[in-house]
Amino acid sequence: MKTDNATAFAENAAADLPAQARKYSTADLPPNERRDWLCEVLRWEYGKVDISVDASSDVFTEMTDYSWNELRLSSYRSSQMAVQRLRCEPELSSQDMYLAHIHLSGDYRLQQNGREAALQPGDITLLDGTLHNRLSCSQHVSVLAIRVPRRLLKERIPSIEHYTALHIPGHAGIGAVASNFIRSTFSQVDQLSAPAFSALSEHALDLLTMALVSERPARYHLSKSHTFTLNQIKAFVGRHLADATLNPAMVSAGVGLSSRHINSLFKEEDTSLMRYIWQRRLENCRKELVNPMHPGQRISDIAFRWGFNDLSHFSRLFKERYGCSPKEYRAIKEAGGLLVM
């Protein structure tokens, strides 16, 4: 059965790939089964799709997928086709994500929210995986994709929904830096240790965020002075994040601005100063819980090191944010499980 074949590909990693990799391919299927098989695989990965192919062409798709902390890094090689994400709700919570596409070769276009991005090799664009979109290629195409949970990008770019299907040039500026970093990481993944590969995911997300912001739609720009001031505040918070006494008064004194003005700046990002501080602390604690370079750290030591002075308060905030306790989170990740947040 086609569904059984799709399930088998989804569950079994290829023997010659690292443990965190999965490989899917139509190569071993009869040509008349390939389209339905691909629809089934994409349905479970991204949502219900419709695939259009030239009647004279064989369907060919090969996908290699790596778990990358909370992200996923994937490569796609495909024959000529058009893939349309249908207008329906996601079937799985893991499908509530954004996909950043880095074009490698071939003719490739993406449409969403009334915009179209026609990509050249190295260019980047973003799509919302829960909304209707259309991908098309008129010849064989190769693409890299980074799958990012909605929460992570929303924290970094509150108006992220306005950034889909923008064209980010990959030949110059921060777009080139981000594109080259992601492509180089993928090309060397088999040469990297698991901790080294894991550590690069945060850098990739930082660079991707900067590349997206560089093409920010004009009506969503903060003024340059506001952006500069907000970055100064965040830098001060970052330097003092481990200080348990960090509070609005300390930040206000440190940057020379009133607490009211500081919170008005954070309001433009749909948050407040203290929510931003707790978010940063929780994220640093989450990373340290599964840091392969420092295994076995006590949860209380991690919490206190990042400015929490009440373990029950830390555990409550952690569970509210990540859906499980710090102990459960560590156990799930150490067991190799995927945590949907």
Side-chain angles (χ1 to χ4, degrees):
M1 296 291 292
K2 292 183 282 294
T3 300
D4 293 338
N5 285 335
T7 303
F9 270 102
E11 292 178 347
N12 295 301
D16 60 341
L17 293 171
Q20 73 270 33
R22 298 180 296 172
K23 187 172 182 178
Y24 311 79
S25 178
T26 59
D28 296 326
L29 294 172
N32 64 332
E33 294 183 6
R34 291 178 181 179
R35 180 187 174 280
D36 289 346
W37 177 87
L38 185 57
C39 283
E40 185 73 2
V41 169
L42 293 179
R43 173 191 171 193
W44 290 110
E45 288 292 319
Y46 306 111
K48 291 183 179 179
V49 300
D50 180 62
I51 298 175
S52 302
V53 296
D54 190 307
S56 62
S57 302
D58 287 335
V59 174
F60 169 77
T61 296
E62 183 176 86
M63 299 177 281
T64 304
D65 179 65
Y66 294 88
S67 177
W68 208 13
N69 285 340
E70 293 189 72
L71 314 181
R72 300 197 74 86
L73 178 62
S74 308
S75 73
Y76 299 82
R77 293 196 304 124
S78 179
S79 58
Q80 175 184 346
M81 67 176 68
V83 180
Q84 184 170 223
R85 196 333 185 146
L86 301 180
R87 300 179 188 276
C88 59
E89 290 298 313
E91 296 182 85
L92 303 171
S93 58
S94 60
Q95 295 169 354
D96 187 20
M97 48 76 188
Y98 285 95
L99 278 165
H101 287 221
I102 301 93
H103 185 41
L104 299 181
S105 66
D107 178 62
Y108 186 65
R109 295 173 181 270
L110 180 149
Q111 296 171 320
Q112 189 168 64
N113 292 335
R115 292 187 292 271
E116 178 179 272
L119 304 183
Q120 298 296 317
D123 292 350
I124 301 171
T125 194
L126 183 77
L127 67 82
D128 185 331
T130 66
L131 301 180
H132 176 261
N133 60 73
R134 179 181 172 84
L135 311 175
S136 59
C137 50
S138 61
Q139 53 186 271
H140 276 69
V141 68
S142 295
V143 179
L144 292 181
I146 298 182
R147 180 170 168 162
V148 187
R150 180 179 304 275
R151 168 184 58 81
L152 290 184
L153 270 184
K154 189 71 173 175
E155 287 173 359
R156 292 164 177 262
I157 309 176
S159 56
I160 187 62
E161 63 272 15
H162 302 290
Y163 289 68
T164 57
L166 295 178
H167 173 239
I168 302 172
H171 65 275
I174 189 61
V177 176
S179 177
N180 288 334
F181 181 88
I182 294 164
R183 286 183 289 168
S184 295
T185 299
F186 186 84
S187 71
Q188 297 299 314
V189 64
D190 291 334
Q191 308 301 317
L192 296 171
S193 66
F197 178 59
S198 177
L200 294 176
S201 68
E202 190 74 13
H203 299 298
L205 188 54
D206 286 340
L207 289 170
L208 179 61
T209 300
M210 294 172 68
L212 288 167
V213 170
S214 73
E215 297 296 320
R216 183 183 302 183
R219 63 185 180 279
Y220 296 103
H221 272 294
L222 291 171
S223 72
K224 289 185 178 179
S225 61
H226 280 198
T227 302
F228 179 76
T229 302
L230 193 57
N231 287 339
Q232 282 190 313
I233 297 167
K234 290 179 177 180
F236 180 88
V237 168
R239 292 193 299 271
H240 297 85
L241 205 57
D243 187 344
T245 66
L246 183 65
N247 60 20
M250 180 177 172
V251 176
S252 177
V255 299
L257 297 169
S258 70
S259 294
R260 181 177 180 180
H261 182 56
I262 291 171
N263 274 308
S264 72
L265 294 175
F266 277 101
K267 188 176 181 180
E268 296 190 55
E269 294 194 346
D270 295 329
T271 189
S272 68
L273 171 62
M274 285 311 299
R275 282 200 297 271
Y276 175 78
I277 290 172
W278 292 126
Q279 283 178 4
R280 289 283 304 275
R281 285 174 167 165
L282 285 170
E283 182 62 13
N284 284 343
C285 289
R286 182 194 67 77
K287 292 176 184 176
E288 287 211 30
L289 282 170
V290 292
N291 186 345
M293 307 302 291
H294 302 286
Q297 296 183 86
R298 293 195 306 176
I299 291 174
S300 58
D301 290 343
I302 294 172
F304 295 147
R305 181 158 60 250
W306 286 109
F308 290 96
N309 52 22
D310 183 328
L311 194 57
S312 62
H313 179 234
F314 163 68
S315 296
R316 178 174 60 80
L317 289 180
F318 191 97
K319 188 168 185 177
E320 287 177 359
R321 184 159 186 78
Y322 299 112
C324 61
S325 70
K327 184 177 180 180
E328 291 168 336
Y329 180 89
R330 172 182 273 172
I332 291 170
K333 300 299 284 187
E334 288 180 347
L338 295 177
L339 194 65
V340 176
M341 292 175 285

